[in-house]
Amino acid sequence: MLITGASGALGSEIASYFSKQSIQLALHYKSALPLESESTSCKHFKADLTKEEEVKALIANVVHTFGRLDIIINNAGISKSSISWKTSAADWSETLAVNLTAPFLVSKYAIPEIRKQSVGRIINISSVVAQTGFVGTVAYAASKSGLIGMTKTLAKELSPFKITVNALALGYFNKGMIDDVPVDMQQAIIESVPLKTLGDPKTINKMIETLISDAGDFVTGQTLNLNGGLY
């Protein structure tokens, strides 16, 4: 299992959960090392996912290290908050490069390797913001919406090879990008969620666990909404 952005808050939670299972982990990072220590079944891989040659090398290194690749969790992402008419072209480009182009590049180079297996899984981490919009997130919302469209297309292209592709549209969780939100705004967000609480990453991990298991064989091209009822 390759997890991109494995040193971030959410990536660390996913890596920690699956490190306790009989799954070989390839943990990608850009600068800060992942929290999970390296072992025979867990290795770290550094790459700038916005650079195609580094992505190509990343996939090659993972396959060389473990001998195969069959699960991708496209988790790496950034958010640069700004009202649309004040968003710089540089921030727009960087957000789309990390949140949308990078998952495309990872998938592009991973798919030929995954096709060598009898089954495969690609899971893209999207957001409820892609579906609802949110003030100050024009680049982020656009990138996460694009990820949903990419998911649907890849699912149709890869179905003949028994590779499923799904997206998780996450609401607000108690780990991850919520850390960048001021405390007073966090409370307002909680009040906007019908369940009146932030999500726990265990929900994400359990969903991933189901999708990568045999129980996920008939689920593809879907956007699974983990958002506490927020629409």
Side-chain angles (χ1 to χ4, degrees):
M1 175 190 286
L2 169 61
I3 304 172
T4 67
S7 59
L10 182 55
S12 296
E13 291 286 337
I14 298 172
S16 176
Y17 183 83
F18 287 101
S19 69
K20 300 175 178 62
Q21 303 184 29
S22 56
I23 294 178
Q24 293 179 315
L25 294 180
L27 304 183
H28 157 265
Y29 71 101
K30 181 181 179 182
S31 52
L33 282 169
L35 296 179
E36 287 298 316
S37 300
E38 287 194 299
S39 65
T40 55
S41 60
C42 179
K43 299 295 182 182
H44 300 165
F45 298 86
K46 184 176 183 179
D48 182 341
L49 299 184
T50 66
K51 297 180 179 179
E52 186 167 1
E53 287 305 311
E54 291 196 27
V55 175
K56 183 178 180 180
L58 166 67
I59 300 302
N61 289 339
V62 171
V63 173
H64 176 75
T65 300
F66 291 111
R68 60 183 289 165
L69 179 58
D70 47 19
I71 301 170
I72 301 290
I73 311 295
N74 279 314
N75 166 73
I78 61 171
S79 177
K80 291 180 175 289
S81 299
S82 180
I83 205 77
S84 58
W85 58 89
K86 295 183 179 180
T87 299
S88 69
D91 283 352
W92 170 273
S93 297
E94 183 182 1
T95 302
L96 265 68
V98 175
N99 294 358
L100 182 57
T101 303
F104 158 70
L105 292 174
V106 170
S107 300
K108 173 183 176 179
Y109 288 103
I111 287 168
E113 298 299 332
I114 299 176
R115 283 181 56 185
K116 296 176 183 178
Q117 317 306 323
S118 58
V119 67
R121 303 284 192 259
I122 298 175
I123 299 174
N124 298 316
I125 305 300
S126 185
S127 169
V128 66
V129 173
Q131 302 162 317
T132 64
F134 194 82
V135 173
T137 67
V138 63
Y140 183 77
S143 66
K144 293 299 186 178
S145 295
L147 201 54
I148 291 174
M150 188 181 84
T151 296
K152 292 180 180 297
T153 295
L154 289 181
K156 291 187 175 182
E157 291 180 345
L158 299 178
S159 58
F161 309 104
K162 296 185 178 179
I163 300 171
T164 67
V165 188
N166 293 287
L168 303 185
L170 306 184
Y172 297 98
F173 283 74
N174 57 22
K175 297 286 180 66
M177 291 187 177
I178 193 69
D179 296 334
D180 299 327
V181 178
V183 175
D184 57 333
M185 287 187 65
Q186 288 187 27
Q187 189 55 45
I189 288 172
I190 291 172
E191 289 301 316
S192 72
V193 177
L195 289 182
K196 304 301 179 186
T197 185
L198 296 175
D200 188 292
K202 68 182 180 183
T203 301
I204 301 168
N205 292 329
K206 285 294 185 180
M207 183 62 72
I208 292 174
E209 185 175 33
T210 299
L211 290 174
I212 67 175
S213 72
D214 291 344
D217 284 348
F218 202 56
V219 183
T220 194
Q222 303 304 305
T223 300
L224 303 168
N225 302 311
L226 314 181
N227 59 30
L230 183 63
Y231 292 98

